[in-house]
Amino acid sequence: MTPQGTATLALGDKNYSLPVFEGSEGEKAIDISTLRKQSGAVTLDYGYQNTGSCASTITYLDGEKGILRYRGYPVEELAAKSRFVEVAYLLINGKMPDAQEREEWSLLLNRHSMFHEDMRHFFYRFPDRAHPMAILSAMVVSLSAFYPELSQHRGDEGEEAINIAATRLLSKLRTIAAFSYKKSIGEPFVYPRHDLSYCANFLNMMFYSPVHPYEIDPVVVQALSVLLILHADHEQNCSTAAVRLVGSARVNLYAAVAAGICALWGPLHGGANQMAIEMLEEMMARGITPRQRIEQIKNSKGKDLLYGFGHRVYKHYDPRATVIKETCYRVLKALNIQDPLMDIALEMEDLALRDEFFISRNLYPNIDFYSGIILRAMGIPKNMFTVMFALGRLPGWIAHWKEAHEDPRFKLQRPRQVYVGPTLRHLEPGQCTTEPSHMPLARSR
Ligand code: CMC
């Protein structure tokens, strides 16, 4: 990137000149990386609300206009016309696969779908009530022990080794997710089948049982593919930023993705889908009306949230929420399901969108408000909702990890801070239990 201009910062009686870069969609960024060297000052930005940590070619997002594009393609178009595995290929490789690449990609995904048999025993050691996200993150980091080719990323592994690790992870995450569900309900594991597509295979591993054979419904397969596409990337969100940050210490791909899974688990991020459904279920069980619930949230002074609403970057609408809501209607109709939670959700949305509290704070439904209704219709239990988000987000995490490692400017990510603690002070006699004579004196170097 070459600078397109300069910005001048006045600090005290001095002016500092900083380069300005422009992205391909016209976004401007002031490069402050030399500011401390020039002036001694750092920038302060709680929650990185206005800080770009990298330049990226993967996803373009305009929160004001509600635009989301993967490698230039609108997400709505990809959701309508492509399949999740193609989108995964697009994100990781930068282009849509041609017919031959699609074929090879599917073969590779099938070839790597099983994991080392010894890893199967890990599942039996988790307590029955273990959250599947805990199992998922632990299993993903464990992959680095069984497939150590990329155990320390030195930067010289070669493209093929990285591609194999990426494919392996994409394929195995689906198997791990389904196995953790089977473990939680005490049913035997169902192994992946080579004759099934990515999404159909996942559904089969989740729901087939020798006692109740499972018929794979193309409507459900298609809806799952759409859901995973909508989750596939979201530029520098919390979990992707975690993958990049942890990856910047040059840990292997599996460890960096495990960090992403842990970040995603949080209720303000991917965990919101489970929270949203639990809220709707609780309302139904306790007879709380949408109006009462909205008032509770408004009166809670920020302690109680309407999960599935609000977003750091989308301030008018989340384009993913629009597609997910349409998909929700389609799936419920095709499967002939009348879900009372859908009615409650619709009423909540309607009330919130007309309420000054939500309007003034630009709070709109995000992807997590309706995704849970589709997942319920598919038979996915609610503690697996965030696992489904992780399955979808994986290609994005891999693409960002890969892009970062290919970037010569990828430095160890190490933010600065503004220290506001006590200034220098010394221990008083009697403050510590150790006698001063026993303590080695710190020598200045
Ligand atoms: N319900 C009620 N109030 C809210 C909500 C909500 N969902 N979201 C934000 N607010 C209020 C917040 O309390 C604050 O009020 P005030 O100005 O009176 O202090 C104001 O709106 C601004 O909120 P903020 O927390 O400063 O905004 P943010 O940009 O830091 O937060 C967010 C973004 C997603 C963390 C937040 O909107 C939220 O907690 N939403 C609920 C959780 C959720 O649905 N997360 C999933 C996000 S989409 C999936 C993903 O990509 O991760």
Side-chain angles (χ1 to χ4, degrees):
M1 278 205 309
T2 41
Q4 308 282 309
T6 53
T8 306
L9 178 83
L11 191 63
D13 56 1
K14 285 207 173 123
N15 284 342
Y16 300 96
S17 183
L18 300 163
V20 174
F21 292 94
E22 199 171 311
S24 49
E25 292 284 348
E27 289 170 304
K28 289 197 170 44
I30 303 165
D31 180 349
I32 48 90
S33 51
T34 61
L35 182 63
R36 189 168 180 277
K37 228 181 233 164
Q38 289 191 58
S39 69
V42 297
T43 53
L44 180 62
D45 179 13
Y46 283 103
Y48 304 131
Q49 296 184 73
N50 200 50
T51 296
S53 61
C54 60
S56 177
T57 60
I58 302 170
T59 286
Y60 174 63
L61 199 166
D62 182 328
E64 277 70 37
K65 296 192 185 128
I67 294 174
L68 176 62
R69 297 182 198 139
Y70 301 157
R71 304 278 189 189
Y73 298 104
V75 73
E76 299 86 347
E77 205 173 308
L78 290 167
K81 297 183 180 164
S82 66
R83 289 184 302 139
F84 172 63
V85 282
E86 293 165 326
V87 170
Y89 187 98
L90 167 72
L91 286 167
I92 295 169
N93 298 294
K95 66 186 271 287
M96 285 301 272
D98 60 26
Q100 192 188 334
E101 287 162 339
R102 201 178 304 126
E103 183 71 28
E104 285 167 8
W105 180 234
S106 295
L107 278 175
L108 261 184
L109 287 173
N110 268 335
R111 190 177 313 146
H112 293 292
S113 57
M114 263 319 295
F115 42 74
H116 196 290
E117 194 62 7
D118 285 352
M119 283 188 77
R120 207 165 51 91
H121 301 296
F122 290 7
F123 287 97
Y124 299 113
R125 297 285 171 263
F126 287 101
D128 284 344
R129 291 189 10 239
H131 196 285
M133 285 298 275
I135 301 180
L136 197 72
S137 56
M139 294 301 279
V140 167
V141 81
S142 304
L143 285 171
S144 58
F146 286 85
Y147 305 94
E149 296 83 353
L150 278 186
S151 60
Q152 282 304 318
H153 186 79
R154 299 179 309 270
D156 59 355
E157 287 77 8
E159 186 144 357
E160 204 189 332
I162 293 176
N163 285 344
I164 289 180
T167 320
R168 195 177 263 152
L169 187 50
L170 204 59
S171 191
K172 291 184 192 335
L173 195 75
R174 173 190 57 173
T175 311
I176 293 171
F179 276 31
S180 55
Y181 171 63
K182 284 295 195 193
K183 152 75 177 103
S184 73
I185 56 167
E187 279 192 7
F189 300 133
V190 176
Y191 283 78
R193 272 173 42 187
H194 283 198
D195 58 322
L196 293 177
S197 70
Y198 188 93
C199 290
N201 223 331
F202 173 73
L203 292 166
N204 192 58
M205 283 190 275
M206 285 282 291
F207 299 121
Y208 176 85
S209 108
V211 199
H212 306 288
Y214 174 67
E215 210 165 294
I216 301 164
D217 187 330
V219 172
V220 176
V221 173
Q222 159 71 5
L224 178 58
S225 177
V226 168
L227 191 98
L228 298 183
I229 289 173
L230 296 174
H231 283 105
D233 193 41
H234 215 227
E235 51 118 289
Q236 307 308 318
N237 60 90
C238 176
S239 56
T240 303
V243 169
R244 279 192 180 252
L245 188 136
V246 171
S248 79
R250 304 304 190 262
V251 295
N252 62 73
L253 174 65
Y254 307 115
V257 165
I261 293 172
C262 291
L264 187 76
W265 191 1
L268 297 189
H269 190 11
N273 53 13
Q274 182 177 340
M275 297 295 284
I277 280 291
E278 281 174 353
M279 175 192 72
L280 298 174
E281 280 179 349
E282 193 199 354
M283 286 170 66
M284 196 170 75
R286 296 180 48 201
I288 301 168
T289 65
R291 193 170 294 282
Q292 286 169 331
R293 190 71 187 94
I294 292 279
E295 288 309 315
Q296 282 173 352
I297 291 167
K298 284 164 54 180
N299 294 332
S300 76
K301 298 197 167 46
K303 289 203 180 77
D304 193 3
L305 297 169
L306 178 50
Y307 286 93
F309 258 67
H311 202 275
R312 171 62 61 76
V313 282
Y314 294 123
K315 294 301 174 198
H316 290 102
Y317 75 96
D318 177 344
R320 305 168 302 171
T322 313
V323 180
I324 212 110
K325 194 172 167 189
E326 284 162 15
T327 312
C328 212
Y329 279 125
R330 216 178 31 251
V331 170
L332 292 181
K333 189 163 175 238
L335 300 181
N336 201 16
I337 293 176
Q338 303 273 335
D339 188 344
L341 296 193
M342 179 73 178
D343 299 332
I344 302 177
L346 285 167
E347 204 178 331
M348 291 288 281
E349 180 190 2
D350 185 53
L351 284 173
L353 292 183
R354 288 188 286 115
D355 191 299
E356 192 47 33
F357 176 95
F358 293 87
I359 295 171
S360 62
R361 290 169 177 77
N362 296 315
L363 302 173
Y364 294 83
N366 61 50
I367 190 164
D368 288 327
F369 197 62
Y370 286 104
S371 61
I373 308 264
I374 301 185
L375 291 168
R376 259 165 72 89
M378 289 175 183
I380 310 258
K382 59 178 184 277
N383 67 354
M384 284 288 289
F385 286 6
T386 313
V387 170
M388 303 306 294
F389 195 149
L391 269 187
R393 184 54 54 86
L394 183 60
W397 289 333
I398 295 173
H400 282 273
W401 186 88
K402 207 167 159 235
E403 180 180 73
H405 284 79
E406 285 162 3
D407 187 343
R409 296 159 301 188
F410 187 41
K411 290 178 79 71
L412 175 75
Q413 296 194 10
R414 203 299 186 187
R416 294 275 180 173
Q417 64 166 19
V418 178
Y419 176 70
V420 293
T423 52
L424 180 66
R425 54 183 172 166
H426 295 286
L427 293 167
E428 301 292 334
Q431 267 189 309
C432 303
T433 48
T434 314
E435 287 295 314
S437 58
H438 296 152
M439 282 170 66
L441 283 177
R443 278 204 207 114
S444 56
R445 295 183 185 213

